[in-house]
Amino acid sequence: MRGHGMTEGTPSGEIWVLGATGRIGRSVVTRLAGEGIDPVLVGRRRESLVDLQAGYGGKTGVVVADGGESIADAIRSRKPSVVINLIGNYIETAPAIADAVMPGGHYTDLASDATAVPQLLDKHPEAAAAGSTLVTGAGFGVLATESVVAKLCADRPAPRQVRVDALASVAMEAGVIGAPFASAMVGTLLNGGLRYENGQLVKTRLGADPQRLTLPDGETAKSGGIPMGELVAAQRASGAPSVSGTSGLAPTGTLVRAVLPLAATLLSVPPLRRLAVRQMAKATTKAAPRPRQHSWGHAVLTWPDGTVREGWLRADDGMDYTAAVITEVALRLARGEGKPGAYTPAAAFGPDLAVSAGGTFVLN
C-alpha cells in the first residue's frame, strides 16, 4: 500500500477499520491480515488498538478518534481508499463518514435497520458523481435475504409479494452489550414495525406476523416482524409492491409483544431513551454456543399468476458470516471492482457474493 506522500485528494491505498477492537472488528482485521493487508485500526483506546495490531504484526499504525465527526476529520486528512464502519449508530455515523471518503474513496458498513439503509442509498447520485462506491448493510441479514430474492427473481418479472426472514444463529461471547448494539435495539423499539404496501413503507406492530419456520436441515426457528434493512434490500431487488420481513431477533412472545407499544411510548421521551441506552449498554452477556447449527436467510416470492418460489441461503455462525461478508466487500472495493454509487451488497456485486463469503444457496 502507498504511504502518505500521495497527491492531495488522491486516496492513499489504506483500508481503515473503524471499531476494530469489537468482536466483528477483530475478525475483519484477522481476515484482512490473512490476505496480506495491513489495515489502519481506528477506535477510542490506543492501548487496545496497539495490542490488536501487535497480534498480527501490523505496521501501518492506528488512529485514535471518538465519534463520527472526529473520525470523518481524520479520513479527510489521510484519504484512505476504503473505510469499513463497524462503530454502529449508523443513522448518525454513516452519512458523516461516507461524505468524508468522497471523492474517490469507498465505504461499507453493517447498517441493518430500515432507516439507516435507505438513508445511505439516497446518496447514490452524489457517490456516482464522486467516483465512490458506498455499500451499506454488508452483513448476514441484508445479504442472506437479498441474495435469495435476486436469485429467485432472475429472468422473471417483478413478483406481487415477497416475504424475507433473517434467522441468524450466533455463539455468544461473555462481555458487555455495548453502546452500538444498545442504541440499535432501543431505536428498533422506538420505530415499531414496518412493511411495504403498494410500494410504500407503512407502520405495523413490532413483532407482527410471527413465524415458526422449519429449516431445510430439519431444525426450527421463531421470528417476528422488525423494521430491518432486509425489507429495503428485498423491495429493491424484486420491485414487488408488497414486502414483509421477519427476524429471529424480534420478540415473538405474546406478553412481550403486548407491552411493546407502551415501551415505545416511554422511549419517545429523549431522557428516558438515553437512560435506556446507557443501562442496556452496561448489561452483560454470558458465553453460550449458537442455538442452531446454521444461520439461514429465507425468501418466499409470489407472482400475479400464482407462481410461488422459495429459497434459502445457509451460513454458519451469523457473526462470523457477517465478518466474512464485509471483508469480502472491502477487498473488492480495494481492488477497484465496485461501480460508483450507493448499494446494498448484492446490488453492488451480485447475489453470488453470498457464496464468496461462505454461504450456500438452497433454492426450490
Side-chain angles (χ1 to χ4, degrees):
M1 291 188 170
R2 295 195 301 271
H4 308 308
M6 65 283 187
T7 303
E8 183 177 359
T10 302
S12 65
E14 296 172 342
I15 295 179
W16 283 24
V17 182
L18 316 184
T21 58
R23 176 176 176 178
I24 292 178
R26 298 192 306 270
S27 181
V28 168
V29 168
T30 300
R31 292 169 187 271
L32 290 174
E35 296 291 331
I37 294 174
D38 184 8
V40 173
L41 311 185
V42 184
R44 296 178 178 180
R45 291 179 285 275
R46 178 177 297 276
E47 182 178 349
S48 298
L49 296 170
V50 170
D51 287 347
L52 176 60
Q53 192 172 60
Y56 65 90
K59 304 294 183 184
T60 302
V62 303
V63 172
V64 179
D66 186 1
E69 288 299 333
S70 61
I71 292 172
D73 290 341
I75 290 169
R76 292 188 185 95
S77 175
R78 297 219 350 211
K79 300 297 295 181
S81 290
V82 179
V83 172
I84 304 171
N85 180 5
L86 307 175
I87 62 177
N89 192 19
Y90 295 110
I91 293 175
E92 295 182 7
T93 66
I97 295 169
D99 286 345
V101 306
M102 295 187 281
H106 310 300
Y107 169 91
T108 184
D109 67 30
L110 295 179
S112 60
D113 67 78
T115 301
V117 168
Q119 178 179 256
L120 196 77
L121 295 177
D122 285 345
K123 290 185 173 292
H124 180 80
E126 182 183 355
S132 295
T133 304
L134 314 178
V135 182
T136 187
F140 165 75
V142 172
L143 178 60
T145 53
E146 173 192 29
S147 61
V148 176
V149 171
K151 282 282 192 181
L152 296 176
C153 281
D155 304 320
R156 294 278 301 179
R160 171 175 56 84
Q161 182 176 338
V162 173
R163 194 190 85 231
V164 293
D165 307 289
L167 308 167
S169 181
V170 175
M172 298 300 296
E173 286 186 346
V176 297
I177 288 179
F181 183 76
S183 178
M185 291 305 296
V186 169
T188 295
L189 291 172
L190 179 62
N191 292 333
L194 292 171
R195 61 174 292 141
Y196 280 94
E197 293 181 2
N198 298 318
Q200 301 295 317
L201 277 173
V202 298
K203 288 276 190 180
T204 65
R205 189 184 183 92
L206 188 64
D209 193 26
Q211 302 287 322
R212 185 177 184 88
L213 297 166
T214 300
L215 310 175
D217 59 6
E219 295 191 284
T220 61
K222 292 182 179 180
S223 63
I226 197 170
M228 54 190 188
E230 288 89 318
L231 282 172
V232 178
Q235 200 282 326
R236 289 177 175 240
S238 66
S242 176
V243 182
S244 62
T246 73
S247 169
L249 297 176
T252 56
T254 303
L255 178 59
V256 174
R257 289 189 292 119
V259 301
L260 286 176
L262 174 59
T265 299
L266 294 174
L267 292 172
S268 67
V269 181
L272 293 178
R273 183 166 64 249
R274 290 192 291 269
L275 176 62
V277 170
R278 288 197 301 270
Q279 294 302 314
M280 186 181 294
K282 296 175 185 177
T284 59
T285 58
K286 295 181 179 180
R290 62 179 186 251
R292 299 184 305 278
Q293 183 178 3
H294 301 298
S295 298
W296 295 93
H298 177 233
V300 180
L301 283 65
T302 305
W303 276 265
D305 65 2
T307 299
V308 177
R309 286 185 174 181
E310 180 179 18
W312 303 80
L313 189 284
R314 183 182 68 230
D316 291 327
D317 183 279
M319 284 281 199
D320 292 343
Y321 187 71
T322 289
V325 169
I326 201 164
T327 302
E328 179 66 21
V329 167
L331 290 171
R332 294 187 183 201
L333 293 176
R335 294 194 296 261
E337 298 176 10
K339 49 191 177 182
Y343 307 93
T344 48
F349 296 110
D352 286 334
L353 172 70
V355 177
S356 298
T360 301
F361 287 112
V362 182
L363 304 176
N364 296 336

